[in-house]
Amino acid sequence: MSEGAHLRHTEAGQPDASHTAILYLEDLNVSFDGFKAINNLTLYIDKGELRCIIGPNGAGKTTMMDIITGKTRPDSGQAWFGQTVDLLKLSEPEIANAGIGRKFQKPTVFESHSVAENLELAMHGNKSVWYSLRARLSGEQQALIDETLQTIGLTDHYHQAAGALSHGQKQWLEIGMLLVQKPYLLLVDEPVAGMTHQEMERTAELLTSLAGKHSVVVVEHDMDFVRSIAHQVTVLHQGSVLAEGTMDEVQNDQRVIEVYLGE
Amino acid sequence: MFITRILHNDRGGQIMLAVLAVVLVLVPVLNLLVPEGNFLHMPTYLVTLLGKYLTYALLAIAVDLVWGYLGILSLGHGAFFALGGYAMGMYLMRQIGDRGVYGNPNLPDFMVFLNWKEMPWFWQGFDMFWFAMLMVLLVPGVLAFVFGWLAFRSRVTGVYLSIITQALTYALLLAFFRNEMGFGGNNGLTDFKDILGFSLQSDNTRMTLFVLSGLALAGGYLLCRFIINSKLGRIVVAIRDAESRTRFVGYRVEHYKVWVFMVSAMLAGVAGALYVPQVGIINPGEFSPLNSIEIVIWVAIGGRATLYGAVIGAILVNYAKTVFTGLMPESWIFMLGALFVLVTLYLPQGLAGLVQNLKDSRWFHKRVQA
């Protein structure tokens, strides 16, 4: 199966990242009731990159993800996925099918479905109504579910209702749902919130292993966690990019120290 | 077999369908074979009453599909039921021919009364049974499509959607009351004589309609269960539980909502079409917003998102309605309200949930003792 063959049923194929960047955000502006949540934000994510985005509360991190995934429309600016896909023209499901997956800040899984069913629903493939009526899990899909459960350590919870999982397990399940979606770009909002130290380490391992094959954007508050995974860090402040660079560079940046790492 | 696969893991449905099968055999025997006068004989009016309950049960399943599984509280499903009923009523009117009070072979009585010279265009074709049956499905289906497309695309949800569905059925109520609409106005359509050449007054015809209602209920049940068991069913429940998550996973939520809403509306239309020849009349009162609310109460009492609970709720509540409106006509509406409040407070899962709880606790006790 060629790369991107699973997107056959959608209008978009593999994003054209021939100019190294897979995500282009340029001059974005969003305001809510006069409050500028995003202010002339310009940001590029490279293919295969693992990027961490940090910033104090209200810096616009979640709003940025909302724009990328089609939940919020900017007042002005551009958002492109590869060279050809204009994200501002697509709906949420179209963006998801174009290859952008998202994990929410608050873990949202389908609570009354079993763990395996959650993965089945999130899996890439034809998502039309009539197809779903007749759809059966193929051997290949079943194997992907088993493999993913192994990766996220939930094999023993195959039949358990997702609503009965612990907080950390839900976070993992949601990451698993991203994996079976086979996106080119993963947006991961606070993946380690509420996790134990051990769980955190495993999450770090997992996210690092994903980079390369996928582009991964992680929004996180936990500095130790960011340091353990990030190659490139972007600091957001009041809706625009304050600094960009390695963790060390960023930490030594005077402006960053002032607004964020100050104490 | 196909049916066993559908009903796998659905104990309530198995029992419900088994009881329905017994009833569908027993009632014809007691009505047609046991001679009148024998105390086992079942009078025909009772058969028709049961047939009416069965059409209500089918309607309740339709509502449970959208409410219980998709999470859309439709307070306008009575409209789809009534539209199906009107489509059937129009066919039955055309069957009267020149046997009406005015003896006009071309026009139904109410049109003669209104001094109309010819039949309006939308009455054309209803002299053909197949066409009328097509309309029974198509009219509710198309209305549900248009309504759903507009409402779900604008992402109207929750209480607002419920209010719009109420407005929909209320608007239709007012429209059908008007004589100029051409559906018999206030009086509706009645005085039906026969269906496909069989007299509606005969015991055999009534029995056939009863059995057909039962088969339609069983078929509707299996169809809904098939939908729920499919991947589509799991997506529908996912939409109910986490709509925006479902979008971000890549499903076009609107398409799913419209599709299920249409299927449900068509089932309601079929129920209405079977209801009308059994009660012998269809009038705008069927569009009353109160009717639609009552359907929701049946489902709530029976137990949401179980399908069989909707059947039980519809039949029990309507049986109680028959009994109590006979004894104390004024009190029924209060009793229904009280019932709804009590169920909401103490039985959020309805009767189906109560049975489930009893079973679980008995099983639990046995385990503790062992």
Side-chain angles (χ1 to χ4, degrees):
Chain A
M1 197 163 121
S2 69
E3 179 82 338
H6 63 273
L7 294 171
R8 208 177 294 134
H9 305 289
T10 65
E11 46 272 59
Q14 189 175 3
D16 174 12
S18 50
H19 294 76
T20 67
I22 193 170
L23 182 71
Y24 297 77
L25 303 178
E26 288 175 347
D27 301 322
L28 287 175
N29 282 291
V30 182
S31 52
F32 300 116
D33 297 327
F35 171 69
K36 288 219 99 172
I38 295 285
N39 189 4
N40 275 326
L41 175 71
T42 298
L43 183 72
Y44 304 99
I45 305 291
D46 285 345
K47 200 181 175 195
E49 183 186 5
L50 171 60
R51 175 79 64 94
C52 277
I53 296 189
I54 58 175
N57 280 328
K61 298 173 306 240
T62 301
T63 309
M64 184 193 77
M65 292 216 173
D66 285 346
I67 294 174
I68 299 170
T69 51
K71 195 178 177 193
T72 300
R73 297 290 184 206
D75 303 331
S76 64
Q78 304 260 341
W80 290 81
F81 186 45
Q83 302 284 310
T84 50
V85 182
D86 184 354
L87 293 174
L88 303 185
K89 291 212 175 91
L90 301 183
S91 66
E92 294 108 311
E94 283 167 339
I95 291 172
N97 288 324
I100 297 183
R102 178 175 185 183
K103 195 202 93 53
F104 287 80
Q105 192 169 348
K106 178 171 167 278
T108 33
V109 293
F110 302 126
E111 306 239 327
S112 50
H113 288 308
S114 75
V115 168
E117 283 169 347
N118 268 271
L119 294 182
E120 180 203 4
L121 292 181
M123 189 157 337
H124 66 83
N126 189 336
K127 298 207 164 143
S128 73
V129 177
W130 287 104
Y131 184 84
S132 305
L133 188 62
R134 305 290 307 157
R136 293 262 175 283
L137 274 182
S138 68
E140 205 178 316
Q141 289 171 322
Q142 186 61 54
L144 180 60
I145 289 180
D146 292 338
E147 185 194 312
T148 308
L149 284 175
Q150 197 95 51
T151 314
I152 59 176
L154 292 176
T155 306
D156 295 340
H157 301 274
Y158 192 98
H159 291 292
Q160 191 178 341
L165 293 176
S166 73
H167 184 80
Q169 287 170 324
K170 278 185 195 170
Q171 298 268 38
W172 278 74
L173 176 57
E174 216 185 347
I175 293 173
M177 288 165 74
L178 273 188
L179 294 180
V180 292
Q181 212 179 324
K182 296 220 166 147
Y184 298 106
L185 172 65
L186 286 90
L187 305 175
V188 189
D189 205 348
E190 301 201 14
V192 295
M195 279 191 177
T196 64
H197 205 77
Q198 259 179 331
E199 287 172 328
M200 239 188 246
E201 270 170 30
R202 285 180 65 192
T203 311
E205 250 170 62
L206 180 61
L207 290 176
T208 326
S209 73
L210 290 176
K213 269 187 294 178
H214 315 261
S215 312
V216 185
V217 175
V218 181
V219 165
E220 187 49 70
H221 275 306
D222 191 301
M223 283 306 142
D224 291 334
F225 180 74
V226 171
R227 190 174 294 109
S228 70
I229 61 168
H231 309 276
Q232 282 294 104
V233 177
T234 298
V235 185
L236 285 193
H237 180 56
Q238 291 178 349
S240 46
V241 175
L242 183 69
E244 219 165 61
T246 64
M247 191 67 183
D248 284 336
E249 285 167 13
V250 163
Q251 268 182 312
N252 293 321
D253 188 302
Q254 202 52 44
R255 292 166 305 168
V256 176
I257 293 171
E258 267 170 38
V259 303
Y260 189 46
L261 302 164
E263 62 287 354
Chain B
M1 216 175 88
F2 189 60
I3 292 179
T4 32
R5 213 181 61 214
I6 292 179
L7 292 178
H8 174 71
N9 267 340
D10 177 22
R11 208 53 208 277
Q14 290 168 9
I15 295 171
M16 193 277 289
L17 287 177
V19 171
L20 182 63
V22 171
V23 169
L24 286 184
V25 171
L26 209 58
V27 168
V29 168
L30 294 183
N31 174 249
L32 298 176
L33 296 183
V34 175
E36 246 171 278
N38 189 315
F39 83 105
L40 278 175
H41 173 79
M42 191 174 199
T44 302
Y45 83 87
L46 212 57
V47 175
T48 303
L49 191 65
L50 283 177
K52 192 175 90 171
Y53 291 168
L54 293 180
T55 63
Y56 283 153
L58 180 57
L59 175 59
I61 287 183
V63 169
D64 196 21
L65 185 66
V66 287
W67 187 31
Y69 293 95
L70 187 53
I72 293 174
L73 175 56
S74 167
L75 295 178
H77 255 58
F80 302 122
F81 180 79
L83 286 172
Y86 265 98
M88 175 60 103
M90 286 162 81
Y91 164 77
L92 296 174
M93 286 304 269
R94 297 288 301 262
Q95 288 296 293
I96 296 172
D98 59 5
R99 287 169 293 173
V101 178
Y102 297 106
N104 188 320
N106 298 320
L107 293 180
D109 275 352
F110 78 89
M111 292 186 195
V112 181
F113 182 77
L114 289 173
N115 248 330
W116 290 8
K117 295 293 169 243
E118 55 186 57
M119 196 167 282
W121 61 269
F122 49 84
W123 276 78
Q124 305 299 331
F126 276 92
D127 50 332
M128 292 172 285
F129 186 71
W130 68 267
F131 180 82
M133 291 308 100
L134 193 65
M135 289 301 133
V136 162
L137 292 173
L138 229 50
V139 174
V142 168
L143 178 67
F145 176 78
V146 173
F147 177 86
W149 185 250
L150 294 173
F152 301 142
R153 239 170 56 106
S154 328
R155 304 209 179 158
V156 181
T157 51
V159 184
Y160 299 101
L161 191 90
S162 303
I163 291 172
I164 301 180
T165 56
Q166 277 267 285
L168 172 78
T169 193
Y170 191 61
L172 286 168
L173 168 82
L174 296 180
F176 273 72
F177 259 129
R178 292 158 44 89
N179 280 328
E180 298 82 354
M181 272 288 280
F183 294 102
N186 196 9
N187 299 319
L189 311 174
T190 187
D191 283 335
F192 308 135
K193 305 286 188 233
D194 47 32
I195 180 168
L196 287 170
F198 299 102
S199 165
L200 280 170
Q201 268 38 277
S202 88
D203 284 0
N204 281 326
T205 311
R206 287 176 169 256
M207 184 53 69
T208 309
L209 286 167
F210 166 79
V211 172
L212 282 176
S213 303
L215 293 177
L217 174 59
Y221 187 91
L222 291 173
L223 174 70
C224 290
R225 184 58 69 190
F226 170 72
I227 292 173
I228 297 306
N229 285 352
S230 71
K231 184 178 176 192
L232 191 152
R234 290 191 281 284
I235 295 163
V236 161
V237 171
I239 291 172
R240 178 192 73 188
D241 291 346
E243 181 170 332
S244 83
R245 188 81 186 93
T246 316
R247 276 205 183 91
F248 287 117
V249 164
Y251 294 101
R252 285 161 206 248
V253 166
E254 297 76 27
H255 293 197
Y256 282 83
K257 283 187 172 176
V258 170
W259 193 90
V260 173
F261 201 61
M262 274 176 72
V263 169
S264 170
M266 288 195 258
L267 281 176
V270 170
L274 284 161
Y275 168 84
V276 166
Q278 298 190 73
V279 298
I281 183 168
I282 174 80
N283 63 31
E286 296 295 337
F287 285 108
S288 155
L290 253 175
N291 277 16
S292 295
I293 294 175
E294 259 196 69
I295 308 164
V296 167
I297 297 180
W298 307 340
V299 178
I301 288 175
R304 256 197 299 168
T306 57
L307 291 182
Y308 63 86
V311 174
I312 296 168
I315 292 176
L316 282 186
V317 173
N318 280 293
Y319 177 69
K321 184 178 183 174
T322 306
V323 170
F324 286 107
T325 46
L327 294 175
M328 301 171 282
E330 310 298 318
S331 70
W332 169 246
I333 195 77
F334 296 103
M335 293 181 55
L336 187 67
L339 209 54
F340 186 51
V341 171
L342 288 176
V343 165
T344 313
L345 284 179
Y346 298 108
L347 289 176
Q349 309 293 318
L351 292 171
L354 179 70
V355 173
Q356 197 58 47
N357 284 345
L358 287 178
K359 242 172 60 188
D360 288 352
S361 63
R362 225 170 41 207
W363 178 79
F364 177 70
H365 286 310
K366 250 190 250 159
R367 259 176 59 115
V368 170
Q369 279 161 8

